[in-house]
Amino acid sequence: MSVLTRSRFLLGAGAVTVLGLGYACGGTRTASLAGTADMAQRVYVAPGDHDELYAFLSGGFGGQVGVYGLPSGRLLRTIPVFSQHAENGWGYSEETKPMLETSYGFIPWDDLHHTALSQTNGEDDGRWLFVNGNNTPRVARVDLTHFETTEILEIPNAAGNHASPFVTENSEYIVSSTRFSIPSPNRDVPIEEYKKHFKGQISFITADQPGKMDIKFQLIMPGFNYDLARAGKGPSAGWMFFTSYNSEQAYSLLEVNASQNDKDYIAAVNYKAAEACASSGKGRRATVEYRHNFMDEFSRVARSETKTSVLQLQPADCPGVVYFLPTPKSPHGADVDPTGEFVVAGGKLATVIPVHSTVKMLQAIKDKAFEGELEGIPVLKYESTLAGEVQEPGLGPLHTEFDGKGFAYTSMFISSEVVKWNVATREVVDRAPTYYAVGHLMVPGGGTRKPYGKYVLAMNKITKDRYLPTGPELTHSAQLYDITGDKMKLLLDFPTQGEPHYANAIDAKLVKDRQVKFYKLAENRHPRVSRAEREAGVERNGKMVHVRMTAIRSHFAPDNIEGVTVGDTVLFHVTNLEQDWDVPHGFAILGANNAELLIMPGETRTLKWIPTKPGVYPMYCTDFCSALHQEMQGYVRVSPRGSTVALKANNSKGPSAGSRGPN
């Protein structure tokens, strides 16, 4: 059998053609290798050098955010938000548990979908990252000076917090709206009475002052499914645009019943007009219960407060606040170009990409070019707001980003590609395949006035075999493309955590020089801080034992404790005395049913431990801190309940506090 025949038999004719090209054209292989070398050079970050960009990718399933360097794709950090995180004790330590409180109780998980960077004058400013919790409706603030969640607000009257937490031009507001409309107020009603009882809502949440996030007002909307959003700018300043689907208000088998209408809607919300309507007294206070959780800056102890009312506005009572723009069915993204004139809606089942003009929209409102109204909301004529349509863009348009040079990039879920098109002419100018079913895209700064315009990142929805297999579930993935030239060029594949729904990226210079390196011990206002070893010790209050402990390279003080009895609740309040960058200490004890503590320099963290049987229990530092890290350990002696063993600690640098035996 000849080589060619054998190859045709084993690989198929198409493969032989490729194989033949390899034999016939040595230059083709050389060119391919040269191209690969160029790709590698473009994303290579030498040891000791830093990436150009921080990229923040939603962790989806895990309720967390992954921080990556771009262009390298290196994972730098995982920021826990709505989920417990054993690596650093988030949601396990007594100081951080209140961050996960809700009106439904302590909920240590959520489905984190979207990220949004804070803005000043329509540009990313590097202060905060906002994220949403989809399952138990919540939004959160991450402080980018120390990459930690510092505030979480629950959203009442909501279910499926999907069009969230997109930000206005000066971070006055972030938004939240319902993917799943529910009865308003939520109560026991027959599901088949959906159209009668079920409502959507859009919340505008004050965001420009840390620790003070709250709902300014809620708009009560028709019972559609609200999907994504983006704030206006320039001619559309003061507006926010939300996609919605299920205008049929179906409640069963939505894949069929919510795809009947030819058009769904973009909800255009004039939030400045809504502010005026609220100020004029046309809203009503609704009784609700929701939680606001925030971390105190100096004690580093979280607080959870219950709020009991929210201001609601009915669009029919506030003319000029909301308009519906018809747009091809089942839209996903609502994306505003850098000039603020054009709003692009990607209809998942549409054969075109509609581009709406906000200038035409404002004129149509002035001319009352309405085709009707829905629950007091005027519906504009499709042609009255349309700038044009991108014809034959691909299959399954989802989400669009912009490069600031007049071009847009749209993800095509079904045809698995990124399509580049001219915003002014609506002509497709390039296509690049993705090697999985693509979902969201991200151009750094693509939602701002001034995009970075150097890369586009495509994130998967359904994975394919780009990496070594890992059992039934393959790793999730993102692909980085160079967009500096006329044609997109794939530079890099890199794995990502969870399902990466959306992402933001920012010039590293806006973030890295603002980093907190340690917490000042002198400013530590934790109620049980020990600023020196002489302040450490133990004390008993009934069945509660407080251990005030210090950690410094390479010992705990105290490191031996006696007089604890079975069933006591022991609270280890550990203060890290270090005042240097990147010298955390860890703390763990045998039999603990939560997680370790990871205590940053200058802070105090508390581990709760309830011993269940007598014995001697070792405790130790879990974070390698010095050459004598292994020696950083101690013991707790636990005696039977009712024992008269005195409570004591061997703190040689200070008094041994404690009462003799249990009370």
Side-chain angles (χ1 to χ4, degrees), residues 25-67:
C25 305
T28 302
R29 185 170 185 274
T30 302
S32 176
L33 290 173
T36 302
D38 178 63
M39 290 163 58
Q41 183 65 33
R42 290 291 310 277
V43 301
Y44 178 68
V45 178
D49 288 348
H50 291 169
D51 280 281
E52 295 172 49
L53 303 163
Y54 287 98
F56 304 94
L57 277 65
S58 69
F61 314 143
Q64 60 201 21
V65 174
V67 184

mmCIF file of all heavy atoms in Angstrom, residues 25-67:
data_model
loop_
_atom_site.group_PDB
_atom_site.id
_atom_site.type_symbol
_atom_site.label_atom_id
_atom_site.label_comp_id
_atom_site.label_asym_id
_atom_site.label_seq_id
_atom_site.Cartn_x
_atom_site.Cartn_y
_atom_site.Cartn_z
ATOM 1 N N CYS A 25 4.779 21.716 0.245
ATOM 2 C CA CYS A 25 5.101 23.131 0.468
ATOM 3 C C CYS A 25 5.781 23.306 1.806
ATOM 4 O O CYS A 25 5.119 23.591 2.818
ATOM 5 C CB CYS A 25 3.835 23.992 0.404
ATOM 6 S SG CYS A 25 2.903 23.774 -1.131
ATOM 7 N N GLY A 26 7.079 23.088 1.822
ATOM 8 C CA GLY A 26 7.817 23.280 3.061
ATOM 9 C C GLY A 26 7.653 24.683 3.595
ATOM 10 O O GLY A 26 7.663 24.918 4.795
ATOM 11 N N GLY A 27 7.442 25.641 2.677
ATOM 12 C CA GLY A 27 7.284 27.029 3.103
ATOM 13 C C GLY A 27 6.040 27.251 3.923
ATOM 14 O O GLY A 27 5.996 28.126 4.783
ATOM 15 N N THR A 28 4.976 26.447 3.655
ATOM 16 C CA THR A 28 3.738 26.604 4.418
ATOM 17 C C THR A 28 3.973 26.293 5.884
ATOM 18 O O THR A 28 3.528 27.006 6.774
ATOM 19 C CB THR A 28 2.649 25.686 3.852
ATOM 20 O OG1 THR A 28 2.446 26.008 2.484
ATOM 21 C CG2 THR A 28 1.344 25.839 4.622
ATOM 22 N N ARG A 29 4.700 25.193 6.133
ATOM 23 C CA ARG A 29 4.979 24.817 7.514
ATOM 24 C C ARG A 29 5.874 25.854 8.173
ATOM 25 O O ARG A 29 5.682 26.213 9.338
ATOM 26 C CB ARG A 29 5.639 23.439 7.555
ATOM 27 C CG ARG A 29 5.857 22.922 8.964
ATOM 28 C CD ARG A 29 6.293 21.464 8.949
ATOM 29 N NE ARG A 29 6.377 20.933 10.301
ATOM 30 C CZ ARG A 29 7.460 21.057 11.080
ATOM 31 N NH1 ARG A 29 8.532 21.677 10.613
ATOM 32 N NH2 ARG A 29 7.466 20.556 12.302
ATOM 33 N N THR A 30 6.841 26.372 7.443
ATOM 34 C CA THR A 30 7.718 27.403 7.986
ATOM 35 C C THR A 30 6.929 28.647 8.357
ATOM 36 O O THR A 30 7.122 29.236 9.423
ATOM 37 C CB THR A 30 8.809 27.766 6.966
ATOM 38 O OG1 THR A 30 9.547 26.590 6.634
ATOM 39 C CG2 THR A 30 9.741 28.830 7.522
ATOM 40 N N ALA A 31 5.999 29.030 7.471
ATOM 41 C CA ALA A 31 5.171 30.205 7.751
ATOM 42 C C ALA A 31 4.300 29.974 8.971
ATOM 43 O O ALA A 31 4.103 30.869 9.799
ATOM 44 C CB ALA A 31 4.305 30.532 6.535
ATOM 45 N N SER A 32 3.774 28.727 9.105
ATOM 46 C CA SER A 32 2.935 28.409 10.257
ATOM 47 C C SER A 32 3.726 28.521 11.553
ATOM 48 O O SER A 32 3.251 29.066 12.544
ATOM 49 C CB SER A 32 2.357 27.010 10.107
ATOM 50 O OG SER A 32 1.620 26.644 11.243
ATOM 51 N N LEU A 33 4.965 27.983 11.534
ATOM 52 C CA LEU A 33 5.804 28.069 12.722
ATOM 53 C C LEU A 33 6.141 29.516 13.060
ATOM 54 O O LEU A 33 6.166 29.911 14.222
ATOM 55 C CB LEU A 33 7.087 27.257 12.519
ATOM 56 C CG LEU A 33 6.912 25.734 12.483
ATOM 57 C CD1 LEU A 33 8.224 25.064 12.103
ATOM 58 C CD2 LEU A 33 6.430 25.229 13.838
ATOM 59 N N ALA A 34 6.370 30.303 12.027
ATOM 60 C CA ALA A 34 6.666 31.718 12.257
ATOM 61 C C ALA A 34 5.472 32.422 12.873
ATOM 62 O O ALA A 34 5.610 33.250 13.777
ATOM 63 C CB ALA A 34 7.062 32.391 10.939
ATOM 64 N N GLY A 35 4.261 32.063 12.375
ATOM 65 C CA GLY A 35 3.054 32.657 12.946
ATOM 66 C C GLY A 35 2.871 32.277 14.395
ATOM 67 O O GLY A 35 2.478 33.099 15.232
ATOM 68 N N THR A 36 3.159 31.002 14.725
ATOM 69 C CA THR A 36 3.048 30.545 16.105
ATOM 70 C C THR A 36 4.039 31.270 17.000
ATOM 71 O O THR A 36 3.720 31.656 18.127
ATOM 72 C CB THR A 36 3.278 29.023 16.176
ATOM 73 O OG1 THR A 36 2.323 28.368 15.352
ATOM 74 C CG2 THR A 36 3.159 28.520 17.604
ATOM 75 N N ALA A 37 5.244 31.461 16.505
ATOM 76 C CA ALA A 37 6.257 32.183 17.278
ATOM 77 C C ALA A 37 5.822 33.619 17.544
ATOM 78 O O ALA A 37 6.021 34.148 18.640
ATOM 79 C CB ALA A 37 7.593 32.156 16.535
ATOM 80 N N ASP A 38 5.181 34.235 16.543
ATOM 81 C CA ASP A 38 4.699 35.602 16.721
ATOM 82 C C ASP A 38 3.601 35.650 17.778
ATOM 83 O O ASP A 38 3.577 36.550 18.621
ATOM 84 C CB ASP A 38 4.164 36.143 15.398
ATOM 85 C CG ASP A 38 3.604 37.556 15.540
ATOM 86 O OD1 ASP A 38 4.385 38.464 15.871
ATOM 87 O OD2 ASP A 38 2.381 37.732 15.345
ATOM 88 N N MET A 39 2.688 34.666 17.749
ATOM 89 C CA MET A 39 1.633 34.601 18.759
ATOM 90 C C MET A 39 2.229 34.473 20.149
ATOM 91 O O MET A 39 1.823 35.170 21.095
ATOM 92 C CB MET A 39 0.709 33.409 18.483
ATOM 93 C CG MET A 39 -0.164 33.549 17.254
ATOM 94 S SD MET A 39 -0.857 31.957 16.719
ATOM 95 C CE MET A 39 -1.750 31.455 18.183
ATOM 96 N N ALA A 40 3.210 33.575 20.279
ATOM 97 C CA ALA A 40 3.834 33.354 21.582
ATOM 98 C C ALA A 40 4.532 34.617 22.083
ATOM 99 O O ALA A 40 4.466 34.960 23.267
ATOM 100 C CB ALA A 40 4.822 32.193 21.490
ATOM 101 N N GLN A 41 5.189 35.314 21.169
ATOM 102 C CA GLN A 41 5.890 36.542 21.556
ATOM 103 C C GLN A 41 4.914 37.609 22.037
ATOM 104 O O GLN A 41 5.191 38.339 22.994
ATOM 105 C CB GLN A 41 6.707 37.061 20.363
ATOM 106 C CG GLN A 41 7.539 38.301 20.676
ATOM 107 C CD GLN A 41 8.635 38.024 21.697
ATOM 108 O OE1 GLN A 41 9.185 36.918 21.729
ATOM 109 N NE2 GLN A 41 8.932 38.993 22.531
ATOM 110 N N ARG A 42 3.743 37.679 21.407
ATOM 111 C CA ARG A 42 2.773 38.716 21.751
ATOM 112 C C ARG A 42 2.196 38.543 23.154
ATOM 113 O O ARG A 42 1.774 39.505 23.777
ATOM 114 C CB ARG A 42 1.626 38.725 20.731
ATOM 115 C CG ARG A 42 2.007 39.221 19.347
ATOM 116 C CD ARG A 42 2.326 40.728 19.349
ATOM 117 N NE ARG A 42 1.274 41.498 19.999
ATOM 118 C CZ ARG A 42 0.154 41.885 19.403
ATOM 119 N NH1 ARG A 42 -0.067 41.562 18.142
ATOM 120 N NH2 ARG A 42 -0.742 42.594 20.055
ATOM 121 N N VAL A 43 2.118 37.315 23.633
ATOM 122 C CA VAL A 43 1.517 37.078 24.947
ATOM 123 C C VAL A 43 2.558 36.751 26.010
ATOM 124 O O VAL A 43 2.210 36.572 27.178
ATOM 125 C CB VAL A 43 0.474 35.941 24.887
ATOM 126 C CG1 VAL A 43 -0.624 36.285 23.904
ATOM 127 C CG2 VAL A 43 1.118 34.606 24.527
ATOM 128 N N TYR A 44 3.821 36.689 25.617
ATOM 129 C CA TYR A 44 4.867 36.328 26.575
ATOM 130 C C TYR A 44 5.147 37.481 27.525
ATOM 131 O O TYR A 44 5.375 38.619 27.099
ATOM 132 C CB TYR A 44 6.144 35.938 25.838
ATOM 133 C CG TYR A 44 7.298 35.586 26.756
ATOM 134 C CD1 TYR A 44 7.238 34.432 27.530
ATOM 135 C CD2 TYR A 44 8.416 36.400 26.848
ATOM 136 C CE1 TYR A 44 8.284 34.097 28.384
ATOM 137 C CE2 TYR A 44 9.475 36.069 27.691
ATOM 138 C CZ TYR A 44 9.402 34.915 28.465
ATOM 139 O OH TYR A 44 10.438 34.593 29.306
ATOM 140 N N VAL A 45 5.114 37.183 28.810
ATOM 141 C CA VAL A 45 5.485 38.145 29.842
ATOM 142 C C VAL A 45 6.666 37.534 30.585
ATOM 143 O O VAL A 45 6.527 36.501 31.248
ATOM 144 C CB VAL A 45 4.318 38.446 30.795
ATOM 145 C CG1 VAL A 45 4.751 39.419 31.879
ATOM 146 C CG2 VAL A 45 3.134 39.012 30.018
ATOM 147 N N ALA A 46 7.819 38.143 30.455
ATOM 148 C CA ALA A 46 9.049 37.571 30.988
ATOM 149 C C ALA A 46 9.004 37.476 32.508
ATOM 150 O O ALA A 46 8.311 38.260 33.173
ATOM 151 C CB ALA A 46 10.240 38.435 30.560
ATOM 152 N N PRO A 47 9.715 36.518 33.097
ATOM 153 C CA PRO A 47 9.767 36.415 34.553
ATOM 154 C C PRO A 47 10.160 37.751 35.189
ATOM 155 O O PRO A 47 11.145 38.376 34.786
ATOM 156 C CB PRO A 47 10.846 35.346 34.784
ATOM 157 C CG PRO A 47 10.802 34.504 33.558
ATOM 158 C CD PRO A 47 10.491 35.453 32.437
ATOM 159 N N GLY A 48 9.365 38.178 36.139
ATOM 160 C CA GLY A 48 9.613 39.457 36.806
ATOM 161 C C GLY A 48 8.900 40.630 36.183
ATOM 162 O O GLY A 48 8.783 41.692 36.812
ATOM 163 N N ASP A 49 8.422 40.480 34.945
ATOM 164 C CA ASP A 49 7.667 41.560 34.310
ATOM 165 C C ASP A 49 6.182 41.416 34.636
ATOM 166 O O ASP A 49 5.713 40.352 35.038
ATOM 167 C CB ASP A 49 7.867 41.523 32.787
ATOM 168 C CG ASP A 49 9.247 41.977 32.376
ATOM 169 O OD1 ASP A 49 9.975 42.526 33.231
ATOM 170 O OD2 ASP A 49 9.613 41.775 31.208
ATOM 171 N N HIS A 50 5.446 42.512 34.438
ATOM 172 C CA HIS A 50 4.019 42.515 34.725
ATOM 173 C C HIS A 50 3.205 42.543 33.440
ATOM 174 O O HIS A 50 3.651 43.057 32.412
ATOM 175 C CB HIS A 50 3.646 43.746 35.562
ATOM 176 C CG HIS A 50 4.182 43.715 36.956
ATOM 177 N ND1 HIS A 50 4.154 44.811 37.793
ATOM 178 C CD2 HIS A 50 4.768 42.723 37.666
ATOM 179 C CE1 HIS A 50 4.686 44.502 38.965
ATOM 180 N NE2 HIS A 50 5.075 43.241 38.902
ATOM 181 N N ASP A 51 1.986 42.022 33.523
ATOM 182 C CA ASP A 51 1.044 42.100 32.414
ATOM 183 C C ASP A 51 0.590 43.540 32.197
ATOM 184 O O ASP A 51 0.667 44.386 33.096
ATOM 185 C CB ASP A 51 -0.184 41.236 32.704
ATOM 186 C CG ASP A 51 0.060 39.765 32.437
ATOM 187 O OD1 ASP A 51 0.016 39.374 31.274
ATOM 188 O OD2 ASP A 51 0.287 39.013 33.409
ATOM 189 N N GLU A 52 0.089 43.792 30.995
ATOM 190 C CA GLU A 52 -0.467 45.120 30.676
ATOM 191 C C GLU A 52 -1.756 45.400 31.433
ATOM 192 O O GLU A 52 -2.047 46.535 31.796
ATOM 193 C CB GLU A 52 -0.815 45.212 29.188
ATOM 194 C CG GLU A 52 0.304 45.126 28.199
ATOM 195 C CD GLU A 52 -0.272 45.040 26.791
ATOM 196 O OE1 GLU A 52 -1.152 45.868 26.457
ATOM 197 O OE2 GLU A 52 0.141 44.152 26.030
ATOM 198 N N LEU A 53 -2.563 44.348 31.617
ATOM 199 C CA LEU A 53 -3.938 44.522 32.071
ATOM 200 C C LEU A 53 -4.277 43.570 33.202
ATOM 201 O O LEU A 53 -3.784 42.439 33.244
ATOM 202 C CB LEU A 53 -4.926 44.249 30.918
ATOM 203 C CG LEU A 53 -4.773 45.064 29.646
ATOM 204 C CD1 LEU A 53 -5.518 44.396 28.504
ATOM 205 C CD2 LEU A 53 -5.314 46.471 29.848
ATOM 206 N N TYR A 54 -5.128 44.043 34.100
ATOM 207 C CA TYR A 54 -5.866 43.150 34.982
ATOM 208 C C TYR A 54 -7.166 42.788 34.260
ATOM 209 O O TYR A 54 -7.870 43.669 33.764
ATOM 210 C CB TYR A 54 -6.265 43.842 36.283
ATOM 211 C CG TYR A 54 -5.168 44.100 37.286
ATOM 212 C CD1 TYR A 54 -4.551 45.346 37.362
ATOM 213 C CD2 TYR A 54 -4.793 43.127 38.207
ATOM 214 C CE1 TYR A 54 -3.585 45.612 38.311
ATOM 215 C CE2 TYR A 54 -3.826 43.379 39.167
ATOM 216 C CZ TYR A 54 -3.223 44.622 39.219
ATOM 217 O OH TYR A 54 -2.269 44.881 40.168
ATOM 218 N N ALA A 55 -7.509 41.511 34.245
ATOM 219 C CA ALA A 55 -8.796 41.074 33.706
ATOM 220 C C ALA A 55 -9.580 40.393 34.822
ATOM 221 O O ALA A 55 -9.030 39.570 35.559
ATOM 222 C CB ALA A 55 -8.602 40.110 32.538
ATOM 223 N N PHE A 56 -10.856 40.761 34.938
ATOM 224 C CA PHE A 56 -11.732 40.223 35.980
ATOM 225 C C PHE A 56 -12.812 39.393 35.296
ATOM 226 O O PHE A 56 -13.675 39.945 34.600
ATOM 227 C CB PHE A 56 -12.356 41.356 36.785
ATOM 228 C CG PHE A 56 -11.342 42.292 37.396
ATOM 229 C CD1 PHE A 56 -10.966 43.461 36.740
ATOM 230 C CD2 PHE A 56 -10.748 41.999 38.609
ATOM 231 C CE1 PHE A 56 -10.031 44.319 37.283
ATOM 232 C CE2 PHE A 56 -9.802 42.848 39.171
ATOM 233 C CZ PHE A 56 -9.439 44.017 38.507
ATOM 234 N N LEU A 57 -12.756 38.077 35.474
ATOM 235 C CA LEU A 57 -13.701 37.170 34.833
ATOM 236 C C LEU A 57 -14.646 36.603 35.886
ATOM 237 O O LEU A 57 -14.195 36.110 36.928
ATOM 238 C CB LEU A 57 -12.980 36.019 34.130
ATOM 239 C CG LEU A 57 -12.444 36.291 32.703
ATOM 240 C CD1 LEU A 57 -11.347 37.336 32.723
ATOM 241 C CD2 LEU A 57 -11.944 34.997 32.072
ATOM 242 N N SER A 58 -15.941 36.677 35.603
ATOM 243 C CA SER A 58 -16.911 36.118 36.540
ATOM 244 C C SER A 58 -16.695 34.626 36.676
ATOM 245 O O SER A 58 -16.415 33.938 35.690
ATOM 246 C CB SER A 58 -18.333 36.412 36.074
ATOM 247 O OG SER A 58 -18.646 35.687 34.906
ATOM 248 N N GLY A 59 -16.854 34.137 37.910
ATOM 249 C CA GLY A 59 -16.626 32.723 38.171
ATOM 250 C C GLY A 59 -17.855 31.864 38.023
ATOM 251 O O GLY A 59 -17.799 30.653 38.223
ATOM 252 N N GLY A 60 -19.001 32.497 37.686
ATOM 253 C CA GLY A 60 -20.197 31.713 37.426
ATOM 254 C C GLY A 60 -20.578 30.802 38.571
ATOM 255 O O GLY A 60 -21.000 31.245 39.632
ATOM 256 N N PHE A 61 -20.360 29.505 38.368
ATOM 257 C CA PHE A 61 -20.819 28.487 39.301
ATOM 258 C C PHE A 61 -20.309 28.706 40.725
ATOM 259 O O PHE A 61 -20.962 28.320 41.688
ATOM 260 C CB PHE A 61 -20.340 27.095 38.865
ATOM 261 C CG PHE A 61 -20.532 26.785 37.423
ATOM 262 C CD1 PHE A 61 -19.591 26.040 36.727
ATOM 263 C CD2 PHE A 61 -21.647 27.225 36.733
ATOM 264 C CE1 PHE A 61 -19.761 25.730 35.390
ATOM 265 C CE2 PHE A 61 -21.825 26.915 35.398
ATOM 266 C CZ PHE A 61 -20.880 26.177 34.723
ATOM 267 N N GLY A 62 -19.115 29.280 40.871
ATOM 268 C CA GLY A 62 -18.468 29.340 42.173
ATOM 269 C C GLY A 62 -18.788 30.567 42.994
ATOM 270 O O GLY A 62 -18.356 30.667 44.137
ATOM 271 N N GLY A 63 -19.520 31.549 42.437
ATOM 272 C CA GLY A 63 -19.819 32.760 43.193
ATOM 273 C C GLY A 63 -18.594 33.584 43.491
ATOM 274 O O GLY A 63 -18.510 34.250 44.532
ATOM 275 N N GLN A 64 -17.626 33.577 42.582
ATOM 276 C CA GLN A 64 -16.359 34.251 42.807
ATOM 277 C C GLN A 64 -15.902 34.932 41.523
ATOM 278 O O GLN A 64 -16.522 34.801 40.474
ATOM 279 C CB GLN A 64 -15.315 33.227 43.247
ATOM 280 C CG GLN A 64 -15.091 32.145 42.202
ATOM 281 C CD GLN A 64 -14.484 30.872 42.754
ATOM 282 O OE1 GLN A 64 -14.549 30.597 43.942
ATOM 283 N NE2 GLN A 64 -13.885 30.083 41.874
ATOM 284 N N VAL A 65 -14.801 35.677 41.620
ATOM 285 C CA VAL A 65 -14.210 36.364 40.477
ATOM 286 C C VAL A 65 -12.778 35.889 40.317
ATOM 287 O O VAL A 65 -12.024 35.813 41.297
ATOM 288 C CB VAL A 65 -14.229 37.892 40.675
ATOM 289 C CG1 VAL A 65 -13.472 38.599 39.543
ATOM 290 C CG2 VAL A 65 -15.664 38.409 40.750
ATOM 291 N N GLY A 66 -12.394 35.542 39.087
ATOM 292 C CA GLY A 66 -11.011 35.215 38.802
ATOM 293 C C GLY A 66 -10.294 36.435 38.252
ATOM 294 O O GLY A 66 -10.811 37.124 37.376
ATOM 295 N N VAL A 67 -9.101 36.717 38.785
ATOM 296 C CA VAL A 67 -8.291 37.843 38.323
ATOM 297 C C VAL A 67 -7.125 37.287 37.509
ATOM 298 O O VAL A 67 -6.325 36.491 38.021
ATOM 299 C CB VAL A 67 -7.758 38.676 39.500
ATOM 300 C CG1 VAL A 67 -6.994 39.893 38.985
ATOM 301 C CG2 VAL A 67 -8.899 39.110 40.423
#
